[in-house]
Structures are given as structure tokens and as C-alpha cells.
Amino acid sequence: MRAITVEPGKPSSGLLEDVPEPPREHGPVLVRTLAVGVCGTDVEIVNGGYGWAPPGKTRLVIGHESLGEVLEAPPGSGLEKGDRVVGIVRRPDPVPCASCAQGEWDMCRNGQYTERGIKAIDGYASERYRIEPRYAVVVDRELGERGVLLEPASVVAKAWEQIERIGARTSWKPRSVLVTGAGPIGLLAALLGVERGLEVRVLDRVTEGPKPGLVRDLGATYHASSVQEAGEGVDVVIECTGVGKLIYDAMQIVAPVGLVCLAGVSSGGRTLPVDVQALNREMVLENTVVFGTVNANRRHYQAAAEALARADPRWLARLITRRVPLDRWAEALVRQPADVKPIVTFA
Ligand code: BGC
């Protein structure tokens, strides 16, 4: 079968190659891949800046945003032939730590977790893959191709859950949220904010392409200005860019008792002169919380599936801006101005 593979750490090593059928040890459920989504993490892996091959191997099958159809499932697994499924990305560490032991692998405490298509286990960008039933999430057939958005939506569902859990430290109830970055994560974060009845603002650099319209059609407001202007008085900031200046500005503008949720992974290497003591004074005197969030566990995939089911299907469909057939996979990883979510199609 064909699979997209890379040699992690080595730029331009990506290949569409023939690989053996998926190994039994990955699980009893056999899935035919329909599509994989491409995100910044995949671009970094293919550029040699991130990713780990499975132990004893030099190449990794990429792909962590998946949509597939079950070909074989054992009786009693809760899955049936023909089910549409999305594979969960992370696997608990082998020890396992106290979080992983409870199925909260997204909160792994010893860093020994693995991630399909990213860290030490082959991903889903192969024509077929195998999986354990507990890591396969069934998605509504009616969602169609939009099911490929479940993984990024799960990351955002976790972010919102964390905002609500941290917010429950007091009687505070958020009314407004600023999302920085109108990529797929930012737009899905905005969707979940609108679904919660909040006043949602989205900040991005672009003034053209699909993003401003997508934000407006959600009933949110689009800003191509600064964090200061766009975020005046907001209770929550969901930072999805990883850009230092935006992170710093977000910490300063968020309203008293507010939360800054950091959901964008920075590439690092950029420095910014910061008056940490002034920032500290402001955060202490205003009870500000700044926290990071990554990945998602099964409960977040379920919450995300519910959020996607509630969303306007036509709006969701507009997030998938490009479909690239498997044999031209590399084109999906080259950013184009009108991109929101490019996907690689396997059918
Ligand atoms: C994925 C997460 C993963 C993170 C770090 C993101 O692109 O969506 O599931 O935990 O990268 O590897």
C-alpha cells in the first residue's frame, strides 16, 4: 500500500512510497483512509524541524488528522464495517504516568507519550491503517468529508474545557473572547465560542481571502488590527499563532480575572524585550491566568464531534479549501494564500 513517509530531522525527505500492510500490533481494527488534513505540524515534520521515527526505524508515516472507513472490526469492539472513524493522535506513555493511567494522555506528565504521525508511531497517511478500538472515534456519516476536521476541533474542545475548568475557580463568567489567528484552530475556537453564546472577535493579518468572510458568517467580528484594538476588555484570549508579540500583548490586555489560553506552538528562536516585573504586577493585581494546552483525549474528541454536529455544515465545508489527491500530496504542504485547511484525499 502507499503511504506518505519522512525521515524525521531530515528536510525534504518526504516520499510517497510502498510500505507493508499495517502491522497487527497497531490493533485489530482495519481502516481504509479517506482523507488526511495537513497542518503546521506536518509542514514542520516534512521540513525536518519536528517528528520522531518509530523505535528501530528511520522513516515515519505522517498524518495525524484523519478520516477513514472501517474495513474490519472484531465483534464487541463497538465498531462495525463501514463506520466512519477518526483516529486519536496520542497514546499513553508506557509507564504510565498518573494522567495517562486515567486516559488523560493529553496531560502526560513524563513526556514519554507517543503520537501517531508525529512521535514514534506511524500516522494515518497510508491507504490502510490498524488501530485499537479505544482510539477510534466514530463520526456521523452525514458529516462527510468534514469529519477530517475532528482532530483540530478536539484540540480546541480541550482548550475550551480547560478555560471553563480554570474559570470555575471563582464566580467569573466570560462574556467575550479574542481569538488570535484565523487558521483552522482559530476558526474552530471561534466556532466553539459562538456556540457558547459569547461575543467572539478574531484577529489575523490578512484582509483578503476566505478568513474575514468565514469569521463574519459565524456572527463574530473580524479584525486585521492589533491585539490592543481588537481585544479591548475581553475576558478570554485564545492565542493560536505562537507569535511572541501577540502573546505578550494578550497578557496585558485581557480583562481582570481573565484567562489567556496559549494554543499555538511557537517555533522558537525569536526574542522580545519584556518588562517581566511590570507584567507580573499587572497579572497579580488582576488575577490573570495564562496557561498552555495541547492535544486532546477521548472526551475532547466526543465534545468536538458534538460541536461539529451543531455547526452549519455549509460553513464547516468552507474550512476545507483545497483537496489534493494522494499522488500529488506534496502540494498540500505548500501554503497558498487562500488556504484554511488543505487535505490529501485517498479515495
Ligand atoms: C496535534 C496535536 C499534537 C501536537 C504536538 C498538533 O499538531 O494536533 O495532537 O499533540 O501537534 O505534537
Side-chain angles (χ1 to χ4, degrees):
M1 64 169 181
R2 292 176 301 164
I4 308 171
T5 68
V6 301
E7 187 177 327
K10 191 170 164 194
S12 314
S13 62
L15 279 179
L16 179 63
E17 61 170 340
D18 259 313
V19 299
E21 284 298 314
R24 280 259 158 202
E25 73 254 26
H26 281 179
V29 181
L30 182 66
V31 180
R32 173 171 80 95
T33 303
L34 299 173
V36 295
V38 165
C39 77
T41 302
D42 297 301
V43 173
E44 263 200 273
I45 295 172
V46 169
N47 289 339
Y50 195 60
W52 296 261
K57 292 197 175 171
T58 52
R59 300 189 72 84
L60 169 78
V61 175
I62 63 167
H64 62 277
E65 299 182 5
S66 66
L67 176 67
E69 189 180 274
V70 173
L71 294 176
E72 278 171 37
S77 63
L79 295 166
E80 277 176 29
K81 186 172 185 309
D83 278 349
R84 288 287 170 94
V85 287
V86 167
I88 288 178
V89 176
R90 202 174 270 197
R91 298 292 175 273
D93 71 77
V95 176
C97 74
S99 298
C100 285
Q102 295 180 61
E104 292 193 327
W105 46 74
D106 58 310
M107 291 292 196
C108 181
R109 297 188 208 175
N110 62 22
Q112 291 181 45
Y113 63 83
T114 52
E115 288 181 340
R116 289 200 71 159
I118 302 175
K119 187 174 184 244
I121 332 181
D122 282 335
Y124 301 120
S126 49
E127 287 178 293
R128 286 170 290 287
Y129 66 84
R130 283 190 171 274
I131 191 165
E132 295 279 350
R134 68 185 286 226
Y135 300 118
V137 181
V138 177
V139 289
D140 199 336
R141 218 162 224 289
E142 276 189 20
L143 208 52
E145 174 191 76
R146 302 182 296 281
V148 77
L149 299 170
L150 187 66
E151 194 279 338
S154 74
V155 167
V156 160
K158 174 185 172 185
W160 272 108
E161 178 204 74
Q162 296 295 302
I163 289 166
E164 282 157 357
R165 289 185 173 193
I166 297 168
R169 67 192 169 139
T170 175
S171 59
W172 174 90
K173 289 271 176 298
R175 281 161 310 189
S176 54
V177 56
L178 171 69
V179 176
T180 52
I185 292 287
L187 289 167
L188 290 166
L191 168 70
L192 269 65
V194 169
E195 287 186 353
R196 282 163 167 76
L198 301 182
E199 183 228 322
V200 179
R201 313 173 197 178
V202 179
L203 175 71
D204 198 289
R205 281 184 304 199
V206 300
T207 50
E208 278 164 30
K211 293 175 180 178
L214 278 163
V215 170
R216 276 184 224 113
D217 294 346
L218 256 189
T221 54
Y222 187 83
H223 301 260
S225 54
S226 61
V227 170
Q228 281 78 3
E229 258 177 67
E232 174 72 46
V234 283
D235 298 311
V236 176
V237 180
I238 304 184
E239 207 300 304
C240 304
T241 70
V243 174
K245 174 82 167 75
L246 300 189
I247 297 166
Y248 180 60
D249 290 348
M251 292 180 195
Q252 292 193 305
I253 60 95
V254 74
V257 198
L259 308 185
V260 177
C261 167
L262 304 178
V265 187
S266 308
S267 39
R270 292 244 173 104
T271 56
L272 191 71
V274 169
D275 183 345
V276 177
Q277 294 189 186
L279 185 61
N280 174 78
R281 184 179 57 224
E282 189 157 325
M283 287 181 60
V284 169
L285 294 179
E286 296 189 350
N287 288 288
T288 309
V289 174
V290 179
F291 75 98
T293 174
V294 71
N295 197 253
N297 66 44
R298 197 171 171 105
R299 156 176 106 238
H300 306 124
Y301 279 80
Q302 269 142 8
E306 287 162 26
L308 294 186
R310 276 193 300 266
D312 173 359
R314 282 161 309 176
W315 184 87
L316 270 186
R318 286 162 61 200
L319 297 186
I320 301 173
T321 44
R322 228 155 28 100
R323 289 160 192 83
V324 179
L326 179 59
D327 52 4
R328 303 212 318 257
W329 69 275
E331 290 171 29
L333 286 120
V334 181
R335 270 202 87 73
Q336 290 186 8
D339 272 348
V340 178
K341 174 61 70 188
I343 65 171
V344 177
T345 55
F346 282 68

